[in-house]
Structures are given as C-alpha cells and as structure tokens.
Amino acid sequence: MTEEAEVSPTSSSDQQAPHFLQDVIFHGKFKLLKALTPEENTLCQHGLYFQDGQRRVDYILTYHVKKLAGGRSGRQSSHVLTENAVARSLRRGPQSFGEHFRLHQAQRARNSSSLPSSPVADVELGCPGETFNGQEDHKMFRRKEFEGKLRDMGLELEKDEDTKIAGVGFVKIHAPWNILCREAELMKLKMPTKKVYEVKQLSGVVEKISSLVSKVVEPLHPHVDEHQPKNFKHLSHTFSREKQHLFDLSDKDDFFDSRTRSSIVFEILKRTKCKAKYSMGITSLLGSGIYTAAYPLHDGDINQESFNDRKLLNDEWANYSVFYKYQPIGLVRKYFGEKIGLYFAWLGLYTQMLIPASVVGVIVFLYGCATVDDNIPSMEICHPKNNITMCPLCDKVCSYWKLSTACATARASHLFDNPATVFFSIFMALWAAMFMEHWKRRQMRLNHEWDLTGFEDEEEALKDHPRAEYEFRVMQKSLSKDKKSHHKIEKLTCQDRLPAYMTNVVMMLLMIGVTFAIVFGVILYRISTKAALHMSSNPVTRSHVQLTVKTTAAIINLVVILILDEVYGAVARWLTVLEVPKTDKSFEERLIFKTFILKFVNAFTPIIYIAFFRGRLVGRPGSYLYVFESYRMEECTHGGCLMELCIQLSITMLGKQLIQNNLFEIGVPKLKKLIRYIRSKQGAFQEEERQKKLQRYEADHFLEPFAGLTPEYMEMIIQFGFVTLFVASFPLAPLFALLNNIIEIRLDAKKFVTELRRPVAARAKDIGIWYNLLRGVANVAVIINAFVISFTSDFIPRMVYQYMYSPDGSMHGFVNNTLSYFNVSHFQEGKEPMDPLYLGYTVEMCRYKDYREPPWSTTPYEISKEFWAVLAVRLAFVIVFQNVVMLMSDIVDWLIPDIPKDIILQIHKEKILLVDLFLKEEQGKICVLESRASTGGKENCSRSSSSNNNNNNNNNSTTAPPGSGLHTNSTKSL
C-alpha cells in the first residue's frame, strides 16, 4: 500500500479509493507539498510535520517491518481494497474481523496464483515467496485495529515505511484542534487566560537590596529570552470549551505547546482499547511487541541554525562551560514537563545548599590540621621516649609492637576526630532541616508559577486509571472463574496478591542476607590478609599492613556495591511487577521503596559495621572471640576505628560518584546508541552525515528511551545519606558532593537533551515519595551521628578523663588511662607470638586498648569502673544530642512557613480576579440577551460596558510595557 493511501486520516475516501484514484490523490498532494513555503517545506523534510507541511507531528509509534532488498513496490489495487476492507471491519467487531481475515487470505492466494512471475511484495509480511507468518500477521491486524480506534478518537495518522532505517516503520500522529480542546478539558489543564495582572513588587529598602542583589548575580543567569516580563503574569484557569472566549486564541497553533500536545496524545494512547483479546492501550501493545517504541519528538536539532527550545537548552543548560550559572528551570519545565522540572529544581537547590555545608566542613577539617601538633594524646603516642609495648594484633604470626609506630594513624585520626566534629554534626542536622524547609517553600513557589495549585484535588484522580498489567490479571482471574457465575470481578484482592507478597518478603530478606554475607566475607579477607602480610619477609610490606588491608578491603567493598546495585535494581523491579500494583503511581512508589531499601543497605552496611561493631566484639588477650574457631575478630588500631570509617566512606562515596554516577551515565548511553546504529546497518556512514540525512523522527529513534527519574533521584538520595549520616567522621563529604553535583547537573542535562528521547511531559506538584525518604534519612542521621560521636570517636572518653580522672584537668596521661595490662604468660596455648623476641627483648607485660583491671588485682581482667563511667556518659550524650537537635530542627520547621507569604497573597488575589472576570462575562451575556429582547437594550448595554471599562482603567495603577504583548486594559496590580 502506498504511503499516501494510508496517510489521509481526514478523508476516508482517500483510503477507500481505487488504485488509479490514489495515484491522482498522491500527485495532487505532491504538488501541494511543492507549493509550500521554503520554511514549511524544511519543517516537513525534517520530520516535524506531516507531508502536507501543515499538521504537526505530536507523537510517533514505531513497528517492525520486513522490506525488499531492492526497495518498495506497490501492491495490487485488489490487495489495497482488501486491506482497506479489513481495516474497516476491525471497527465493526470481531466477527467481521474474522470474515475479512479469511477474505484477505483468499485474495492473497488468488493474487499469487494469477501472477506467478511477479509476486507482490508485502512490507508487513515479508519478501516475495515468503509464507504468511502467523505472528507477523497477528501484529499487523492488531496495529490496524488500534490505529482504526485512534482515528475514531479523532487523531490523524500518517505512515512512513520508506525510511532510511531498515526494518522500521513509523506512524506519525497529529491531534487536531477540537481533540486538543476536548482532552484539555477532560484532563483539567490550566491554561493562561487573556487576563494579565501585575505582581506587586517590593518597596522601600527591601526593593533596593533586591535590586542590588539582582545586578550582582546577573552574570549567573542564563541567556534565555523571556516572552513576558517577570512582574506580569497571566491569570490561569482550567480550560473549558464553553469558556474559550476567556483564553487568548489568536494563535491556535501555539496555544497548546508541543509538551502539552504530546501529553494529550499519550493519554489517548493509554486509554484506547481494542476489541482484540488483552489489548489494553499502548502500554500493552509495546509490551507484546505490536509496536517497538512510542515517543514524542524533539523540536529540532541542536546543531541547526534555526531557533528552537532544544538548541537553547543545549547552549544555556546542557553545557559544561555554563556550570556556574543558574538553571533555566522555566524552560526545562516548558520542554520536559513539571515532573522533570521539579527534579532539576530540587537538584539545583540541593547543590546550592551544599555550598555553606562545604565551607563549614572545610573549616572543620582545617581546624583539625591546625591543632594536630597541639593534640596531647597524639603527642604522647608519637613521643620518641614512648616505650609502651602493645599486644599482638593477630595470633602467632603477629608479634609485639611499639605504640609509637601508630603515630601517623593517631595524627591522621585527629583530623576527623576533634571537638569541632561535634559542632559540625549539630550544624549538619540543622542544615538538613533548613534544606527541607527551603525546598518546601521553593516547591510552593514553583507550583504557583507553573499553575499547579489545586492540582492534587482536581487532577490526581485522573492518574488512578488501572495499569494494563493489572487489567490483564483481572481478566485472567475472570476467565479462570466458573462461567456460570455471573457477577463480574473488578479488582484483585489481598488473597490474590498473597503469593507475591510472600515472595517479596522472602526475596528482600534474602538480598539483605546476601549483603551481610558479602560484608562478612570481606571481614574474613581482612583477617586472613593481615595474617599473611605479617608473615612476609619484606619489612616494607610488614610496616604498611594496616594501610594495605584497609584500602584493598574498601575497594573490594566498592566493586561489590557497584555490582549489587545493578542486581538489586533488577530484583526490585521484578518484585514490584509480581505485586501487580493497580496504578502507575502505586507501581512507582513501591518500586522506589524496594530499590531504596536494597541499595541503602548495600551501600551502608560495610560502613555501619566499621562504625559500630568492629573492635567491640573482640574479647581480650588470652580470651579472644573467634569465628570458625580460627579467625580472630578484628580490633581497631590505637588511633580508633574513625580513621578506617573515613577511608571506607570516602572510597565508597567517591567511587560511586565517579564510576557509577558519571562514567556509567556517559558511557552506557553512548554504547547503546552505537549498538543501535550497528544493528540498523547504518554504521558505514559518518554520524554527522547520518544525522543530516535522517528526519527528526528517524534520528530520535536511535536515542535511548527515557527510563524515568528513579535512577537520578536514587543516586542523589544515597549521596544525601553519605553527606548527613556519617558526616561526623568525614567533614569533607559535603565538598565532594558539591563538586560531583556541579558536574551531575550538566551531565544529566546533556543526557536529557542529546542522549534520550524526549519524555512525555508529566505533571506533578511535588517530588512525591522522595521527600519522605529525604526526611527519613535526615532523622536517622541525627541518631547515627550521635552514636558515631559517642561510641566510634574518642570524644566521650577524652571528656570523661579530663573532667573525672585527670589529676590536673588536662589531657596528659589519657593514653595510659585507656590501656590495660596483660601478662603474656596467660596466652592460650598455641596463640602466643611465634617470634617473642621481635622487639629485641623479652616481653612480660603488654598493653591493649580497653578498660579492664590489671592482672595483679583481685579481679584480674574484669571490666573496670572507668568503662561504666564512660558508657554512662556515652548513653547520656546520645539522648541529649538527639533531643537537642530534634528540638532545634522542630524550631526551624516552626519558624519557617511552608508557603511564602507573598504566594498566599497572590493566590488569594487571583481568586478575586477570576471571580471578577466571570462576573463581567456574565454581565456581558445578560446584556446580549437583553439587546435581543428590546431595541434600546443595545444602547444601554453599550453604555454600561463603556462605564465598566472606564472604571477598570481608573483602577489600573500601571500599564503593560510597550512591546510586551500584554493587554493594557486588562492589567491589574496586586
């Protein structure tokens, strides 16, 4: 069938015309196309419009076709008429569908028998001489049926199978004006009315300060042309076909922008159902392979000279050279929709809030560097006359060692374990509360600017239509019931989902168990590797055992985390599919929650082990705790486990950001794009030449499909955990997060603009479940930081010694106070060092870090009173720290209102203006009716109308600036 025989959705006679009439129609349309203006012809050639150059392509469907090696050939006229009859029969019912299917088969047999020397090529069914493929035939008729339904819904379709991409056919979809109006009313879209009002500006000193700040930050703003001054705003109202006179319809082509048009078409595609079995909209058809892809078009090429929003976004947003500028969030929302706009607005605010956190973190780190030489405990450890002999760190192969050899570790630990750390933990807890409050205010401001106020109440219910998979399961359940039962099954019960719920619980526990097992395996690696390195004859290797073991173990943990992240993402999706959630929103929330739990446990389990468990389940010399009767549990070095925690945290955080968040995001899309080019047999051409030859919908076909915002949010939530949860041990975490996010914003922008197909614009008034996860992480961070300061660092032991046990109130003698004595003759048999003379002298007493009674006391090796004093203070500190920080966070929450005051006033004024606008419209209607009833009514109405206009002009305090395109007689000051 020729392309033009199928592309005329507005005229059914074109589809049903004989072959010679189709040729006439084709040539007529070809002449019309030739007569178009150069600009329209260019747009048509770029694939943004239909072949007539007038109708815009709002959506694209692609499907698999088989083509002849030598090119396309037309079908016989009888074959065309048969397929047209089949297409029409699909709209009548399944019985007519079966009759015409048999007619189609018989007609094909007659054609092949009457023309044996020149077989007819069928682009759907394969090459000449090929037998009729049942699966391809089924897909073809399903497409015919679905496309017929779309035409019945009012959409206009045009097919293109003669493309430069082998084996791919395209269905171009256009929504005419009446359909856009109908769907906009059904979807309750808010559109700008003719009414334009002036937003009240600041006054006095505040205005001067604001103006000064605006001039200072002017270089930071992107060069995006604003079509409307910032102090003027269109009054918006839910679109209604009965109230079209309220809206500015002077340019109907641009009243609904491309973002809105594609979202409207997508809603139609989702709810259009065929009569064929289990056909439930475009989602079902994509899943069954009837169509291979569905996407809206980008509005142009980033390399072309003509202006378009995509090129502007590429130059002023997705460019690393403008990393210091603010994001054009309004343009991002205009092009990609509110949901993606909110993500980048949140990411931008989060990055801005990291600036003060980074500054304070660097100050804390520099304080540690400046005071390391004045730290008395590290000075005592590093003193050359220090002659403290420490007990072996492992059995047999490890020998006694001098405490002075831990000098470097002790000095490095002070950089992250000093009094400023406590202040920084409190600061970061308040910072998290400020960030959450700031985002709520920013979100409300965006809701007002983007006309999303009241979205949840009016429009959220429209998103609750069932998913295709859910309806499929309900249909399966209905078919499995007894046919004699006449009551209809409308939903899945908890009993139906019970096997899926049980599978979810078991698999989640299993995956968490896998994470614990891997962490335990890394523990065994550290223990065995430490013993093996101590047996080395190389003195350099033996002197760097601790650093080697810590670093390699952290790298192993990082590699495992990166691998399991991908596995857990796939497992979470599989488990969510098993549950068969009813709506897309429910599916997304359940998927996010499962993925977050698995990835959070995966990323933080090794860190939690080092922070809270390592060195606390060790035992003591002569009575150590063993695993598998041969692996002695690890203990912290004298500098404490905080240094190891810092190493693990930094390697995991930086590794995930550099490898997973950046390298994978850059490399994987490019690799997939290359694979698609190779599969499409287009690899022989240069990319620039190929892009010039391909039309817009062909070029977008090679882009990566949009997979949602879950991966983007997830990596930022995990990073937020690194920044807040263990910030007491790594004050430089906000700085590294800031540097990563500056790159991340531009990297994500580049990906959305150039690497991904244009996503369907989705409306949203908030970031959804992600806010709850952020709030939960911020609350958990307070608890974890309290425990890190109390139990992981030496802050509490130092404070207890200084104020309770120090003879002069200083830190002198603190190291000796934390070390207990052990008589080496009390070693278990076979556990003593193999080389007891390693230090050159016989050791009778060695020291170990613990609060225990000496061997010469009446209760040798029992826990001392100092231990209980330190434990009591630690627990008290945890309780006080949590309550104080939580109270301060609540005060911040109470002091900062969620909705800015000026937004509240604007919303209230807008309601008044809307009422005033409606009253004037009603008054105008009444005048029209009265004018029809009486002759003098027209004069009275005119007089009344003129007086109203005069009053309106007198009330206006300002007029719209010239050239702004605003109606000066309809502005009103707030």
Side-chain angles (χ1 to χ4, degrees):
M1 183 183 296
T2 60
E3 182 180 328
E4 286 70 28
E6 291 186 343
V7 296
S8 181
T10 56
S11 177
S12 59
S13 60
D14 290 1
Q15 297 179 9
Q16 301 173 10
H19 188 67
F20 66 91
L21 288 180
Q22 292 174 10
D23 292 337
V24 173
I25 294 171
F26 168 77
H27 290 297
K29 290 182 177 179
F30 182 77
K31 291 180 180 179
L32 175 63
L33 183 60
K34 295 276 286 185
L36 295 175
T37 64
E39 182 180 358
E40 290 174 335
N41 201 6
T42 302
L43 291 173
C44 177
Q45 290 175 359
H46 287 169
L48 296 174
Y49 284 76
F50 277 18
Q51 290 295 328
D52 56 12
Q54 300 293 327
R55 291 172 291 173
R56 181 182 305 176
V57 177
D58 297 320
Y59 216 85
I60 289 291
L61 303 179
T62 68
Y63 56 92
H64 174 71
V65 296
K66 292 183 179 180
K67 290 192 174 183
L68 291 173
R72 296 181 63 191
S73 63
R75 294 177 179 152
Q76 301 296 326
S77 60
S78 60
H79 188 68
V80 174
L81 292 174
T82 304
E83 287 199 350
N84 284 329
V86 172
R88 292 193 301 271
S89 70
L90 292 173
R91 306 175 194 177
R92 301 193 185 107
Q95 294 179 354
S96 179
F97 171 84
E99 295 175 0
H100 283 286
F101 176 79
R102 290 189 294 271
L103 176 61
H104 175 75
Q105 292 279 46
Q107 184 65 42
R108 284 181 53 85
R110 287 193 297 270
N111 290 339
S112 60
S113 61
S114 61
L115 298 170
S117 58
S118 58
V120 178
D122 193 329
V123 294
E124 293 281 358
L125 305 179
C127 301
E130 235 180 31
T131 58
F132 192 88
N133 188 303
Q135 185 177 5
E136 290 298 323
D137 177 74
H138 172 70
K139 291 181 179 180
M140 179 188 68
F141 283 104
R142 289 281 295 277
R143 284 195 296 270
K144 294 289 185 183
E145 182 185 10
F146 183 70
E147 291 163 14
K149 289 288 184 179
L150 294 181
R151 291 189 179 96
D152 292 342
M153 293 291 292
L155 297 179
E156 300 178 359
L157 277 60
E158 180 178 83
K159 279 193 176 183
D160 185 4
E161 294 177 350
D162 190 14
T163 65
K164 300 178 181 66
I165 306 177
V168 179
F170 295 88
V171 178
K172 294 176 279 187
I173 302 177
H174 168 77
W177 170 255
N178 60 325
I179 301 303
L180 293 173
C181 294
R182 181 193 71 193
E183 296 298 322
E185 184 174 354
L186 291 175
M187 296 170 64
K188 299 184 183 298
L189 296 181
K190 280 191 174 182
M191 304 300 294
T193 64
K194 297 178 182 179
K195 188 77 172 180
V196 180
Y197 67 91
E198 184 182 10
V199 180
K200 186 178 181 180
Q201 300 298 307
L202 300 174
S203 59
V205 180
V206 180
E207 182 184 8
K208 294 181 179 179
I209 296 176
S210 177
S211 177
L212 179 62
V213 172
S214 299
K215 291 181 180 179
V216 172
V217 301
E218 182 65 27
L220 302 181
H221 289 283
H223 300 294
V224 179
D225 294 331
E226 296 288 346
H227 299 289
Q228 180 176 307
K230 292 184 178 180
N231 57 329
F232 286 88
K233 187 178 185 296
H234 274 282
L235 190 65
S236 297
H237 182 62
T238 303
F239 186 82
S240 173
R241 287 174 288 181
E242 296 180 356
K243 296 182 175 62
Q244 289 192 31
H245 54 277
L246 298 178
F247 303 94
D248 184 8
L249 303 180
S250 57
D251 187 0
K252 292 186 178 181
D253 291 337
D254 293 331
F255 182 75
F256 295 106
D257 55 16
S258 59
R259 166 183 61 91
T260 306
R261 297 174 69 96
S262 62
S263 62
I264 287 176
V265 173
F266 181 67
E267 286 296 323
I268 297 176
L269 292 175
K270 281 200 304 184
R271 70 168 186 260
T272 300
K273 300 181 181 181
C274 301
K275 296 180 180 178
K277 192 176 182 181
Y278 305 144
S279 181
M280 303 171 186
I282 188 61
T283 307
S284 175
L285 297 176
L286 288 172
S288 58
I290 307 301
Y291 291 100
T292 56
Y295 52 89
L297 293 180
H298 285 289
D299 66 355
D301 192 355
I302 59 175
N303 298 318
Q304 68 185 37
E305 296 181 359
S306 61
F307 171 81
N308 59 76
D309 289 340
R310 188 188 185 196
K311 179 177 175 58
L312 188 59
L313 285 172
N314 183 70
D315 296 340
E316 295 296 330
W317 182 48
N319 197 329
Y320 293 105
S321 62
V322 295
F323 71 92
Y324 59 93
K325 291 187 177 182
Y326 295 116
Q327 301 181 86
I329 294 299
L331 186 59
V332 174
R333 174 253 180 177
K334 176 186 174 184
Y335 192 77
F336 291 110
E338 287 81 5
K339 194 171 186 178
I340 295 177
L342 281 174
Y343 163 70
F344 282 102
W346 174 84
L347 181 57
L349 179 63
Y350 171 47
T351 304
Q352 291 178 20
M353 291 292 292
L354 283 173
I355 296 176
S358 302
V359 172
V360 177
V362 171
I363 293 174
V364 170
F365 179 75
L366 293 178
Y367 170 83
C369 296
T371 58
V372 65
D373 293 331
D374 300 329
N375 183 39
I376 295 177
S378 60
M379 291 171 59
E380 290 182 348
I381 294 175
C382 298
H383 198 278
K385 295 183 179 180
N386 183 8
N387 196 30
I388 298 178
T389 302
M390 302 297 294
C391 296
L393 295 176
C394 61
D395 294 338
K396 294 185 180 182
V397 295
C398 298
S399 187
Y400 306 104
W401 55 286
K402 290 288 189 180
L403 180 60
S404 58
T405 59
C407 175
T409 304
R411 290 173 61 87
S413 296
H414 178 74
L415 302 178
F416 307 100
D417 187 6
N418 53 70
T421 302
V422 181
F423 160 76
F424 190 56
S425 299
I426 298 175
F427 171 81
M428 288 304 295
L430 297 179
W431 172 88
M434 288 286 293
F435 167 59
M436 304 301 291
E437 294 303 315
H438 195 177
W439 168 244
K440 284 193 291 187
R441 291 171 61 85
R442 172 68 169 156
Q443 190 171 255
M444 279 304 304
R445 193 173 295 277
L446 290 176
N447 283 339
H448 177 256
E449 292 177 3
W450 296 350
D451 299 319
L452 293 174
T453 52
F455 167 77
E456 186 175 0
D457 300 331
E458 298 178 359
E459 302 165 13
E460 192 67 22
L462 297 175
K463 289 186 174 183
D464 291 338
H465 52 267
R467 299 170 60 245
E469 292 80 0
Y470 180 84
E471 291 190 347
F472 178 76
R473 283 290 302 274
V474 171
M475 188 179 297
Q476 280 187 323
K477 181 181 177 182
S478 300
L479 294 176
S480 63
K481 292 293 183 180
D482 188 5
K483 294 183 179 180
K484 295 182 180 180
S485 179
H486 297 289
H487 51 273
K488 184 180 179 181
I489 298 175
E490 298 180 352
K491 64 179 182 177
L492 298 179
T493 62
C494 292
Q495 185 177 1
D496 298 325
R497 291 195 174 100
L498 184 60
Y501 289 154
M502 295 300 296
T503 304
N504 271 259
V505 173
V506 172
M507 287 299 298
M508 292 286 287
L509 294 177
L510 178 61
M511 294 297 102
I512 294 175
V514 169
T515 302
F516 290 162
I518 291 175
V519 171
F520 184 71
V522 175
I523 295 172
L524 297 183
Y525 162 80
R526 277 200 294 259
I527 295 172
S528 58
T529 304
K530 185 186 298 182
L533 292 178
H534 274 292
M535 295 175 64
S536 174
S537 58
N538 190 341
V540 178
T541 303
R542 298 185 66 175
S543 61
H544 296 86
V545 170
Q546 294 291 338
L547 181 61
T548 303
V549 172
K550 294 174 186 176
T551 306
T552 55
I555 294 175
I556 292 173
N557 270 322
L558 171 62
V559 173
V560 171
I561 287 172
L562 295 179
I563 295 174
L564 289 183
D565 266 355
E566 303 301 320
V567 175
Y568 287 164
V571 170
R573 178 168 291 275
W574 173 65
L575 292 177
T576 309
V577 170
L578 282 182
E579 289 186 40
V580 197
K582 183 176 181 179
T583 63
D584 290 329
K585 181 180 179 181
S586 176
F587 181 89
E588 184 180 17
E589 290 181 349
R590 296 187 186 196
L591 174 62
I592 289 171
F593 182 74
K594 293 182 183 65
T595 307
F596 173 76
I597 293 296
L598 292 177
K599 292 193 174 184
F600 186 88
V601 171
N602 182 39
F604 289 99
T605 298
I607 300 173
I608 291 174
Y609 163 74
I610 294 175
F612 302 127
F613 296 98
R614 184 174 178 181
R616 286 162 182 78
L617 303 174
V618 178
R620 61 171 179 82
S623 181
Y624 284 114
L625 179 64
Y626 291 89
V627 179
F628 301 140
E629 298 182 357
S630 58
Y631 293 96
R632 194 177 106 185
M633 289 299 294
E634 299 176 288
E635 56 183 301
C636 298
T637 58
H638 189 76
C641 283
L642 201 66
M643 189 61 194
E644 294 187 39
L645 177 62
C646 177
I647 293 174
Q648 179 69 55
L649 185 63
S650 59
I651 291 179
T652 303
M653 179 179 178
L654 295 178
K656 280 180 66 66
Q657 291 182 165
L658 294 176
I659 298 175
Q660 188 178 49
N661 299 355
N662 295 331
L663 184 61
F664 284 2
E665 287 190 15
I666 295 174
V668 172
K670 291 186 178 296
L671 181 61
K672 290 182 178 180
K673 186 177 180 180
L674 177 62
I675 292 174
R676 281 195 296 271
Y677 278 137
I678 295 174
R679 286 182 176 178
S680 63
K681 300 178 181 180
Q682 301 289 322
F685 298 97
Q686 295 295 328
E687 183 172 354
E688 293 183 1
E689 295 179 359
R690 181 191 307 116
Q691 292 295 338
K692 291 179 181 178
K693 293 181 179 180
L694 294 179
Q695 298 195 52
R696 180 74 267 148
Y697 53 86
E698 295 173 327
D700 286 1
H701 177 74
F702 288 107
L703 299 179
E704 181 74 9
F706 175 65
L709 290 171
T710 299
E712 315 299 335
Y713 272 115
M714 190 63 66
E715 65 186 54
M716 288 296 106
I717 296 295
I718 298 297
Q719 184 200 85
F720 184 77
F722 285 125
V723 169
T724 56
L725 290 178
F726 294 93
V727 73
S729 63
F730 191 38
L732 294 179
L735 176 63
F736 289 116
L738 173 63
L739 297 176
N740 173 81
N741 288 4
I742 292 175
I743 301 174
E744 181 74 20
I745 290 176
R746 308 303 164 179
L747 180 64
D748 285 347
K750 194 75 174 177
K751 182 173 64 175
F752 273 85
V753 174
T754 62
E755 301 291 339
L756 296 179
R757 293 173 186 163
R758 187 176 182 179
V760 178
R763 288 178 296 167
K765 67 180 300 182
D766 51 42
I767 60 175
I769 191 176
W770 298 110
Y771 182 83
N772 298 329
L773 295 178
L774 281 170
R775 177 68 73 181
V777 171
N779 292 335
V780 172
V782 176
I783 302 173
I784 288 185
N785 280 302
F787 276 94
V788 168
I789 295 172
S790 297
F791 290 92
T792 308
S793 74
D794 285 337
F795 174 77
I796 299 299
R798 287 196 299 262
M799 187 174 63
V800 171
Y801 174 79
Q802 184 175 2
Y803 294 103
M804 294 181 63
Y805 298 104
S806 176
D808 56 356
S810 68
M811 291 302 297
H812 290 287
F814 170 73
V815 174
N816 186 65
N817 179 261
T818 59
L819 297 177
S820 300
Y821 290 89
F822 177 72
N823 191 335
V824 298
S825 61
H826 296 165
F827 270 121
Q828 293 177 337
E829 185 177 355
K831 304 297 183 181
E832 64 276 1
M834 295 170 51
D835 186 9
L837 300 177
Y838 175 75
L839 297 178
Y841 56 87
T842 303
V843 178
E844 295 182 355
M845 290 284 180
C846 65
R847 309 290 295 275
Y848 62 99
K849 190 174 182 179
D850 203 350
Y851 292 100
R852 292 183 181 271
E853 298 291 339
W856 57 80
S857 68
T858 56
T859 56
Y861 307 127
E862 292 293 329
I863 296 176
S864 63
K865 60 181 181 179
E866 287 88 349
F867 172 83
W868 298 111
V870 171
L871 179 62
V873 175
R874 279 174 166 168
L875 293 176
F877 178 84
V878 169
I879 296 173
V880 172
F881 184 90
Q882 292 182 31
N883 290 332
V884 170
V885 174
M886 290 292 187
L887 177 62
M888 296 175 68
S889 299
D890 291 339
I891 292 175
V892 170
D893 191 2
W894 176 71
L895 290 176
I896 303 177
D898 294 344
I899 306 177
K901 187 176 180 180
D902 60 322
I903 297 299
I904 297 176
L905 293 176
Q906 287 190 43
I907 294 175
H908 179 67
K909 292 293 184 181
E910 284 182 0
K911 292 180 179 179
I912 296 176
L913 290 176
L914 274 176
V915 173
D916 183 52
L917 179 63
F918 289 151
L919 290 177
K920 289 181 179 179
E921 293 295 332
E922 290 297 326
Q923 186 178 8
K925 291 181 180 179
I926 294 175
C927 289
V928 171
L929 294 176
E930 291 178 351
S931 64
R932 294 177 180 176
S934 62
T935 307
K938 185 175 182 180
E939 181 179 354
N940 295 333
C941 181
S942 301
R943 187 181 304 111
S944 176
S945 177
S946 62
S947 63
N948 286 334
N949 289 333
N950 292 332
N951 293 334
N952 189 26
N953 291 332
N954 293 332
N955 290 333
N956 289 337
S957 59
T958 60
T959 57
S964 64
L966 306 180
H967 301 278
T968 57
N969 63 341
S970 60
T971 57
K972 193 167 185 177
S973 176
L974 282 184

